[in-house]
């Protein structure tokens, strides 16, 4: 977590850093700070809280003036959010910003204290600043000092470093945590992610582990960990500045909900050839699929919920056993996997620490790995054996919506191909499913329009609830999980998702008239069963909100509010049903006056365990 930026160029550096940080706040917003070369010295401005606090502070006290510097937005790990613990941190001649965690910071701190150093903060980052300073004192060469420092560090880091003795020069290095180097006209950038710099340049280098970049008025130089110069390949982002702006929407979340039809189109359409999915450019060989024995889908949070939908679909149509695992559990439970198995890692950011570790574990056990990732060039994308990029574009709201939607669309593409390869569906069915998937962008658009009003109405019912339940069976249960997570993370209302048939084994005792129940019942084969479960909660006083198909006749004895979605191929309905679930969460959060895009305690890119 945390976002770091750096700039060397001709513009007002404070403005560039603050603007770039505004696109990285999704990575954390416990504090913000910048350090800029000013009149031969380094000026630091930092404060706890969101970036807006920093801009307010600089309005009152003045902003550092210069053309080169570094900046940071924090998700606190070591030390509470406070002014003192805010980045940048400094030694005598060195100031730096850090994204990641230094696991052995305690022993390094002891070493530095023994060497006469004192500390002002509780952070692991200040230890790095003092260590670079210490080695710079000894070696007197900034790059050698950085290399020597990183030899001592255990953990993950992306660092932006400036030295008093090297004005208007920014040094950067990374291990595990991501970092890109932006290449502009007469200016250069560092950033944790491309959206931070897209307003200035679309061209960038991806820094690899332990590579060091030096940005100065002479341009960009990159060295390997032996201080040998290296030549990097220039990459170009294929989206524009609108992708990182709100474009008139009040929040990124609602903008991103509305971007879903386009995101599906971008993800699915290029992969259809002759009416069938073709994943050969993703290195997926139908012959390999035919032989796959077990599939594990491993991910965290929303990404894991897309895997739940994938499991139901793959098991149903491809008759292949699929286990869905939370990455943080999978990696430590000594899972039984072997070379005939496929591990699918799903991740929007491609940097989630637990998902990455799970993938590495699977590889070490000889299994093949397939990554479904949104962030281009991210670590998970680079290390997987097979890779399907989702093309959602940058997702900025912390609560994931469009990334989930395209993860679902890829689950279908993959499931259809798996089923065809295994011979559990014939060509006609294969083409039929594919043609239905191609209809989803337009349908999702319609559903956004047709369900918004009802979602708003429902949210007024939820706004003062303390707790609620989401229930469903089969695919509807998988969706309930995501609906519940979405609501709780942005509205701060406690909610649980439950398999509808499981309620009576304990949880039903929670039901009171004060506890709304959102029931999802879109699968014909399970409809009556779910309705029975709904009646059980209704009989105990619950207010029921039901999501079902247009053709379902729902009496008042079943539900107090009914939200209908179009009749459509049932296996694909999750792509439609997730829309009102997103909208209900969104409007509830708005009505509660919450910060929808930056909910408390969260960050989007979870690069710590
Ligand atoms: C919730 C949300 C998270 C992420 C999870 C995994 O809205 O966004 O639950 O899905 O942190 O992140 P990625 O997909 O980046 O691995």
């Amino acid at each position: 977590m945390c976002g770091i930026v750096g700039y060397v160029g001709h513009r007002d550096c404070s403005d560039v850093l603050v603007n770039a940080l505004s696109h990285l706040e999704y990575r954390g917003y416990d504090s913000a700070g910048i350090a800029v070369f000013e009149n031969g010295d380094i000026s630091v401005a930092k404060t706890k809280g969101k970036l807006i606090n920093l801009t307010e502070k600089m309005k009152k006290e003045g902003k550092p003036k210069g053309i080169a510097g570094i900046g940071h937005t924090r998700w606190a790990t070591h030390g509470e959010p406070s002014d003192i613990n805010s980045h940048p941190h400094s030694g005598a001649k060195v100031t730096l910003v850090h994204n990641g965690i230094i696991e052995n910071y305690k022993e390094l701190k002891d070493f530095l204290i023994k060497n006469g150093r004192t500390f002002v903060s509780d952070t692991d980052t200040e230890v790095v600043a003092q260590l670079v300073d210490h080695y710079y004192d000894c070696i007197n060469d900034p790059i050698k000092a950085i290399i020597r420092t990183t030899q001592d560090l255990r953990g993950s880091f992306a660092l932006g470093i400036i030295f008093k003795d090297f004005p208007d020069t920014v040094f950067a290095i990374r291990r595990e945590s991501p970092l890109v180097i932006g290449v502009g006209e007469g200016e250069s950038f560092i950033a944790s992610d491309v959206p931070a710099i897209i307003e200035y340049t679309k061209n960038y280098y991806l820094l690899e582990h332990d590579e060091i970049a030096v940005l100065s008025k002479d341009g960009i130089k990159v060295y390997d960990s032996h201080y040998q110069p290296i030549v990097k390949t220039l990459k170009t982002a294929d989206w524009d500045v609108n992708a990182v702006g709100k474009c008139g929407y009040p929040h990124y979340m609602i903008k991103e909900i509305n971007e879903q039809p386009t995101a599906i189109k971008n993800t699915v359409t290029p992969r259809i050839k002759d009416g069938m999915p073709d994943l050969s450019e993703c290195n997926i060989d139908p012959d390999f699929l035919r032989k796959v024995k077990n599939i594990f889908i491993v991910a965290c949070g929303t990404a894991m919920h897309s895997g739940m939908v994938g499991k139901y679909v793959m098991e149903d149509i491809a008759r292949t056993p699929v286990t869905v695992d939370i990455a943080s559990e999978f990696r430590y439970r000594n899972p039984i996997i072997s070379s005939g198995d496929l591990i699918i890692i799903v991740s929007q950011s491609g940097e989630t620490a637990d998902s990455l570790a799970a993938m590495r574990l699977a590889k070490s056990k000889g299994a093949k790995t397939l990554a479904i990732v949104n962030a281009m060039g991210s670590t998970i994308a680079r290390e997987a054996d097979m890779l399907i990029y989702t093309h959602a574009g940058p997702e900025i709201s912390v609560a994931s919506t469009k990334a989930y939607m395209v993860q679902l669309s890829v689950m279908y593409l993959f499931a259809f191909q798996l089923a065809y390869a295994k011979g559990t569906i014939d060509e006609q069915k294969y083409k039929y499913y594919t043609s239905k998937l191609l209809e989803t962008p337009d349908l999702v658009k319609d559903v956004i329009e047709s369900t918004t009003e009802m979602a708003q109405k429902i949210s007024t019912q939820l706004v003062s609830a303390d707790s609620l339940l989401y229930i469903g069976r089969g695919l509807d249960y998988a969706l309930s999980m995501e609906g519940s997570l979405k609501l709780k993370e942005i509205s701060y209302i406690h909610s649980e998702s439950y398999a509808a048939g499981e309620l009576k084994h304990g949880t039903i005792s929670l039901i009171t008239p004060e506890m709304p129940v959102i029931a999802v019942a879109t699968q014909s084969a399970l409809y009556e069963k779910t309705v029975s479960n709904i009646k059980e909660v209704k009989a105990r006083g619950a207010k029921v909100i039901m999501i079902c198909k247009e053709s379902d006749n729902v009496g008042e004895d079943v539900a107090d509010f009914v939200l209908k979605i179009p009749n459509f191929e049932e296996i694909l309905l999750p792509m439609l049903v997730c829309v009102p679930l997103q909208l209900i969460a969104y409007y509830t959060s708005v009505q509660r006056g919450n910060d929808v895009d930056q909910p408390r305690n969260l960050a989007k890119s979870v690069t710590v365990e």
Side-chain angles (χ1 to χ4, degrees), residues 217-238:
K217 65 176 181 353
D218 301 328
I220 299 166
K221 296 196 175 90
V222 183
Y223 302 91
D224 67 13
S225 56
H226 306 290
Y227 206 165
Q228 294 303 307
I230 45 179
V231 179
K232 301 288 296 177
T233 313
L234 197 63
K235 307 213 173 258
T236 304
D238 62 358

Side-chain angles (χ1 to χ4, degrees), residues 300-303 346-349 352 398-400 485-486 489 604 606:
C300 306
T302 289
V346 191
S347 177
Q348 188 286 126
S349 63
T352 302
V398 165
S400 183
L485 174 63
K486 210 85 309 170
E489 72 174 320
K604 194 159 182 72
V606 187

Side-chain angles (χ1 to χ4, degrees), residues 253 298-305 345-356 372-375 380 395 397-401 403-404 407 482 485-486 489-490 599 602-606:
M253 183 174 174
V298 186
C300 306
T302 289
M304 190 270 290
H305 293 157
I345 305 289
V346 191
S347 177
Q348 188 286 126
S349 63
E351 302 291 347
T352 302
D354 285 318
S355 305
L356 176 60
I372 299 174
V373 170
N374 196 46
I380 293 176
E395 189 179 61
S397 179
V398 165
S400 183
T401 52
Y404 172 74
Q407 285 159 1
E482 177 55 11
L485 174 63
K486 210 85 309 170
E489 72 174 320
I490 59 171
L602 285 172
K604 194 159 182 72
S605 180
V606 187

Side-chain angles (χ1 to χ4, degrees), residues 60-76:
K60 276 194 218 125
E61 298 170 13
K63 62 181 178 186
K65 291 209 174 56
I67 51 149
I70 51 179
H72 187 268
T73 180
R74 178 171 188 238
W75 190 80

Side-chain angles (χ1 to χ4, degrees), residues 243-531:
V244 297
K246 283 194 195 142
C247 300
Y249 287 97
H251 301 102
Y252 282 109
M253 183 174 174
I254 192 70
K255 174 187 179 233
E256 288 162 4
I257 289 173
N258 278 283
E259 284 172 345
Q260 293 183 116
T262 310
I264 304 169
K265 260 186 217 151
N266 292 344
T267 303
V268 173
T269 317
R271 274 130 184 186
I272 307 300
K273 300 224 167 76
D274 303 325
M276 294 178 280
D278 179 353
L279 299 175
S280 51
E281 48 111 24
C282 309
N283 208 14
I284 296 175
D285 174 10
D287 200 44
F288 165 75
L289 292 185
R290 195 171 47 77
K291 294 186 199 137
V292 159
K293 287 200 211 90
N294 299 296
I295 295 179
F296 294 80
I297 303 179
V298 186
C300 306
T302 289
M304 190 270 290
H305 293 157
S306 77
M308 286 298 294
V309 172
K311 171 188 165 73
Y312 281 105
V313 177
M314 286 175 212
E315 291 195 337
D316 183 14
I317 67 167
R319 310 307 302 146
T320 305
V322 180
T323 306
V324 179
D325 258 291
I326 296 168
S328 55
E329 288 295 310
F330 178 86
R331 62 182 292 197
Y332 291 118
R333 74 168 167 81
N334 197 9
I336 304 167
I337 40 179
S338 60
S339 55
D341 296 339
L342 172 66
I343 313 302
I344 303 179
I345 305 289
V346 191
S347 177
Q348 188 286 126
S349 63
E351 302 291 347
T352 302
D354 285 318
S355 305
L356 176 60
M359 185 173 82
R360 287 178 177 161
L361 174 75
K363 281 185 119 176
S364 74
K365 288 182 180 269
K368 283 271 177 260
T369 54
L370 160 64
I372 299 174
V373 170
N374 196 46
M376 300 275 167
S378 53
T379 312
I380 293 176
R382 281 188 277 172
E383 292 190 15
D385 300 311
M386 295 164 260
L387 168 65
I388 308 180
Y389 273 124
T390 52
H391 294 294
E395 189 179 61
I396 295 178
S397 179
V398 165
S400 183
T401 52
K402 62 175 179 170
Y404 172 74
M405 179 66 90
V406 287
Q407 285 159 1
L408 292 185
S409 71
V410 167
M411 288 294 161
Y412 289 110
L413 279 176
F414 181 81
F416 299 161
Q417 188 158 63
L418 179 72
Y420 186 57
K422 292 221 174 259
T424 52
I425 57 171
D426 60 16
E427 188 174 321
Q428 198 187 354
K429 191 83 183 175
Y430 191 33
K431 286 188 166 165
Y432 170 76
Y433 278 148
T434 307
S435 69
K436 290 285 155 193
L437 183 61
L438 288 168
E439 287 177 30
T440 56
D442 289 343
L443 282 166
V444 166
K445 189 166 183 294
D446 293 347
V447 172
I448 296 172
E449 276 159 26
S450 64
T451 61
T452 291
E453 209 180 306
M454 193 56 175
Q456 282 167 336
K457 198 166 161 191
I458 291 168
S459 66
T460 60
Q461 298 298 310
L462 304 184
V463 75
S464 50
D466 288 330
S467 186
L468 67 145
L469 277 184
Y470 283 73
I471 60 170
R473 287 171 176 257
L475 281 171
D476 292 329
Y477 171 46
L479 277 164
S480 300
M481 289 175 157
E482 177 55 11
S484 168
L485 174 63
K486 210 85 309 170
L487 183 88
K488 72 183 135 198
E489 72 174 320
I490 59 171
S491 74
Y492 316 147
I493 299 172
H494 169 256
S495 93
E496 296 288 336
S497 59
Y498 247 80
E502 181 67 7
L503 273 185
K504 56 184 149 312
H505 299 289
T507 309
I508 202 163
S509 68
L510 290 174
I511 298 292
T512 65
E514 280 70 53
M515 188 180 220
V517 174
I518 299 190
V520 188
T522 66
Q523 303 293 308
S524 303
L526 298 167
Y527 181 78
E528 285 178 0
K529 306 259 173 232
T530 307
V531 168

